[in-house]
Every structure is written in structure tokens, then in C-alpha cells.
Amino acid sequence: MNQPAPSRQEAIIEIRAGAGGQEAAIFATDLFNMYKRYAQTKGWGVEVIDSNSTDIGGYKSVTFELKGSGVYMKMQNESGVHRVQRVPKTERSGRVHTSTATVAVLPKATEREVNIRPDELEVTFSRAGGPGGQNVNKVETAVRVLHKPSGIVVSSRQERSQQRNREKAMEILRSKLLEIERLQAHGLLTDERRKQIGTGDRSEKIRTYNFSQDRITDHRIKKSWGNIDRIMNGNLDPIFEALATRIKTS
């Protein structure tokens, strides 16, 4: 029997920069660091699986795994569009910009839960850029996997070996396919939802981070919090607890 998703000890998180160019990539990086600091306060493990950076260092996308007690239960309500309103460091006129990033949270699936046939896959390899020394640039260790029946594409380039990157990419793919199965079983899978799972995109705006007004607002429960710097530094429990209580009773 499959382990119920909320009790799972591992989750895969995808963050993608949305509208807003370089500022959106910086915001995506801020969200990753926020979740990383929160994970550290909980004693969770954090492992980056794949990332794609801009020229100035922000993440166009980053996929990472969290491991620890209550991981998925805590993180499951973070999926959606996160919006930031602030004056970018590169803005000389002091004008407030609005940018977005999307977050997708998936319970990690096992091989036993999702059966994928080899003939359903198209696997390609390339040289990985980024940290890891000369090895990453000389050897084709980065892995890209296309699941032909669903059209879902996943990749991993953080590990030093091709085999380890392939294993990580398959973990992401299994988790996405398991989420599709779960939604189908509950009659909740639409074409748009399937596309969202495949790309990490979410159309629903769930939260706004307004730096000029020192306020974070979660639009699902219509509640706001001040001291935005403290929250961005990983103090997420007040938001998570409010969401868990309100969503459970709604």
C-alpha cells in the first residue's frame, strides 16, 4: 500500500522564475534560500538536484529534495505562484517592480509505486556546467530524460557521475507521474493541471511579498504578516500553521 502523501519524509521542490526577467530569477533564489533556512531549523536534509542560473547568478530554475520528519506535510501548501513587489537593486529611479516565481511541491515516489518501462524513455547526456571542478565540464554527466507517453522532461546535473544524475532525474519523473495518478484517482486531473505538473508551472497566485510595505499576504486565507526579513530568513512556521488550520477547516 502506498504511504499517504502527507506522512512522507521526502519531497521534491521545483522553483522557476516567472514574469520579471532578472528580478524574477533573484526572487526565485530568495525563495530557495528561504526554504533552505527553514529546513535547517527543522534539521532536514537539503539536496539540489538540478539548477539553471542567469548571468548575474539568480536561478531561472532550481529543483531540490528535502528529507526529514514531516517534510511533505509542512511544504505541501507552497505550490503556486509567489509574487514579489520591491525596488530591485539595479533600479535607480526607486520604482517598485512586480515579479513572480512558481513553486511546485511533490511527494517523492519510489520505484515500487510507479512502473516506467525503458522503451517509454528518451535519455540524452551533456556536459554539466557549474560547481564541481573540471570534471563537470570534461565528462557528459548531465542527464535529460523525456517520458514519451506524458511528454514530461526532467533533468539532473548536480552529481559528478552520469549514473547518479540519471537516478535523480528518474526520482523527479516518478514523483510527477505519481502526482498525476493521484489526481486521476480523485477525478481532479484536467489537461491544464497535467501541463502544470509537467512544467512546474502554477497559475494560481497564492502569496505576495511586499517589501516596501514590510508585509507578506497569503491570498488563500486572506491573512498578512509583517517583519518580512525574518520570514525570508526561514521563520515560516506562523504561515504554515495558519495555512494548515484554515485549509483543514475550510
Side-chain angles (χ1 to χ4, degrees):
M1 180 180 293
N2 291 352
Q3 187 182 12
S7 65
R8 292 176 187 262
Q9 306 301 298
E10 297 168 297
I12 290 174
I13 320 292
E14 289 183 332
I15 304 175
R16 295 175 183 266
Q22 296 280 18
E23 174 63 13
I26 293 171
F27 180 49
T29 306
D30 290 342
L31 290 177
F32 168 72
N33 289 329
M34 178 181 74
Y35 293 136
K36 181 179 178 180
R37 291 177 189 123
Y38 179 73
Q40 290 169 341
T41 69
K42 297 297 178 185
W44 297 346
V46 181
E47 181 181 359
V48 175
I49 299 172
D50 192 43
S51 64
N52 185 9
S53 299
T54 67
D55 294 338
I56 63 171
Y59 283 129
K60 293 178 184 176
S61 64
V62 58
T63 303
F64 59 102
E65 184 178 341
L66 295 179
K67 299 179 182 180
S69 177
V71 161
Y72 184 75
M73 183 173 288
K74 287 283 190 182
M75 295 295 298
Q76 61 183 328
N77 295 319
E78 290 302 287
S79 291
V81 174
H82 296 240
R83 181 176 69 172
V84 64
Q85 295 175 318
R86 64 183 172 188
V87 179
K89 293 178 181 178
T90 55
E91 173 60 58
R92 295 180 179 179
S93 66
R95 184 168 61 92
V96 173
H97 288 233
T98 298
S99 305
T100 63
T102 60
V103 176
V105 180
L106 300 169
K108 184 179 173 182
T110 65
E111 289 186 55
R112 190 170 52 187
E113 290 173 307
V114 181
N115 181 41
I116 302 173
R117 300 195 315 270
D119 64 334
E120 295 177 334
L121 302 176
E122 181 180 300
V123 183
T124 54
F125 307 98
S126 62
R127 294 183 182 181
Q134 294 182 343
N135 176 66
V136 267
N137 294 317
K138 289 185 176 180
V139 183
E140 291 190 338
T141 55
V143 176
R144 177 183 182 273
V145 179
L146 165 65
H147 183 246
K148 291 183 279 191
S150 67
I152 292 174
V153 176
V154 296
S155 59
S156 175
R157 73 192 80 192
Q158 296 299 120
E159 299 291 338
R160 285 178 172 268
S161 76
Q162 191 179 93
Q163 180 60 31
R164 283 289 293 150
N165 277 321
R166 179 169 179 150
E167 290 170 1
K168 288 296 180 182
M170 291 301 296
E171 287 177 0
I172 302 171
L173 178 59
R174 282 193 294 269
S175 298
K176 291 190 174 191
L177 293 175
L178 182 65
E179 177 70 358
I180 288 174
E181 286 182 13
R182 185 186 71 81
L183 292 171
Q184 281 178 329
H186 290 84
L188 299 173
L189 185 66
T190 62
D191 288 342
E192 181 63 23
R193 185 72 173 114
R194 182 190 294 271
K195 179 182 176 184
Q196 290 171 353
I197 294 169
T199 62
D201 182 37
R202 297 291 186 273
S203 58
E204 180 194 9
K205 180 185 70 180
I206 64 167
R207 192 175 299 149
T208 296
Y209 303 69
N210 190 316
F211 279 78
S212 60
Q213 297 180 12
D214 192 31
R215 183 181 70 238
I216 290 180
T217 300
D218 195 287
H219 303 289
R220 294 164 294 181
I221 58 176
K222 298 179 174 60
K223 185 175 175 62
S224 297
W225 295 264
N227 204 339
I228 195 168
D229 288 339
R230 188 160 181 254
I231 293 171
M232 297 302 293
N233 203 40
N235 184 39
L236 287 164
D237 274 331
I239 296 178
F240 286 0
E241 289 165 6
L243 278 168
T245 301
R246 192 71 64 90
I247 291 175
K248 189 181 296 183
T249 58
S250 61

